[in-house]
Amino acid sequence: MRIATTIFLTDETIRPVRLAHELEQRGFDGLYLPEHTHIPVSRDTPAPMGEPLPREYGRTLDPFVALGQAAAVTERLRLGTGITLVAQHDPIDLAKQVATLDHLSDGRLTLGVGYGWNVEEAADHGVHWSTRRALVRDRLALMRALWADEPTAYEGAFGSVRASFAYPKPAGGAPRILLGGAAGPKLLAEIAAAADGWLPVGGRGLSEALPALRRAWQDAGRAGEPEVVPYAVRPTSGKLAHYQELGLPEVVLQLPSAGEAEILRTLDDFAQYL
């Protein structure tokens, strides 16, 4: 089972280049970065992780810029977003960012996708909360059209693109796409319809959720198995052993949003799981 990491990188934490060097040299498999463009000061939406909202949420680095730095100084380290708020992006621009990073990293990118929780943040991007799930699916389909080998047009409910020359292409035709969110019939159906697997935060309840996801996968006519990658996990030996027993290919461990000294101490601790 691959052991990757995630961290809220900010203007106050360890820098991406230093962290990427340390992760690759120590044998970790990946680095995933979250995304928030901004956190409105006036916010009615309760934070799912509890209040007050941690300081790092309003200070996150742009994940694609930071992952580009990480890609440039590593050869093996996998890169990922955890998660990209697709509804808050222009899909043509986002398709170019994703394709460029995947191309330059020789196919090391995983695009973690989510719907978000912050109504006010999304509203500033012009997102209507009630339709955000449909919007994400539509934008992913438009992006896939731009990644296609031949110029491919797309006409959707929320956007369209003409058949176009759009290079570079992602190294494997499209990056691995994992959809985040809490288990439920709607989410599992969306994973089966539009993604390669699931990015469940914390990884709780997987024994019950995995059979339902596999049924949704089969009902959608998908071949093989969905990839399930527990995300932002606070590790214990027992927890990781459980994931291995479930046959999961990868787990993403949560690093503190901290400076270099604390991060290096945490990596020394997490090395026991490699």
Side-chain angles (χ1 to χ4, degrees), residues 78-209:
R78 297 173 185 237
L79 313 165
T81 58
I83 48 71
T84 298
L85 296 165
V86 169
Q88 297 180 186
H89 287 266
D90 177 288
I92 299 174
D93 285 342
L94 182 58
K96 174 69 78 172
Q97 286 177 284
V98 169
T100 299
L101 181 53
D102 196 59
H103 168 73
L104 292 176
S105 66
D106 297 320
R108 287 187 275 153
L109 180 64
T110 290
L111 182 64
V113 172
Y115 302 117
W117 60 267
N118 192 329
V119 177
E120 290 79 16
E121 177 186 358
D124 284 347
H125 287 276
V127 175
H128 297 285
W129 197 248
S130 62
T131 59
R132 74 193 188 286
R133 291 174 180 266
L135 176 61
V136 168
R137 184 195 276 204
D138 191 74
R139 289 188 169 171
L140 285 174
L142 189 154
M143 290 162 64
R144 289 186 188 276
L146 289 167
W147 296 333
D149 288 338
E150 299 297 329
T152 302
Y154 177 78
E155 183 73 37
F158 297 91
S160 62
V161 67
R162 297 172 175 83
S164 303
F165 299 110
Y167 292 86
K169 302 295 184 184
R176 179 177 68 158
I177 296 177
L178 302 178
L179 187 57
K186 288 183 179 180
L187 180 80
L188 300 185
E190 282 294 324
I191 293 169
D196 300 304
W198 183 25
L199 200 64
V201 174
R204 296 181 194 167
L206 289 178
S207 297
E208 296 75 23

Side-chain angles (χ1 to χ4, degrees), residues 8 10 36 38-39 49 53-60 117:
F8 275 86
T10 78
H36 281 286
H38 65 299
I39 301 294
M49 69 294 301
L53 185 68
R55 175 183 176 87
E56 58 264 27
Y57 278 76
R59 307 186 75 98
T60 53
W117 60 267

Side-chain angles (χ1 to χ4, degrees), residues 232-246:
V233 170
R234 310 285 182 177
T236 67
S237 296
K239 194 181 292 185
L240 298 191
H242 175 60
Y243 296 152
Q244 284 189 307
E245 290 171 2
L246 292 174

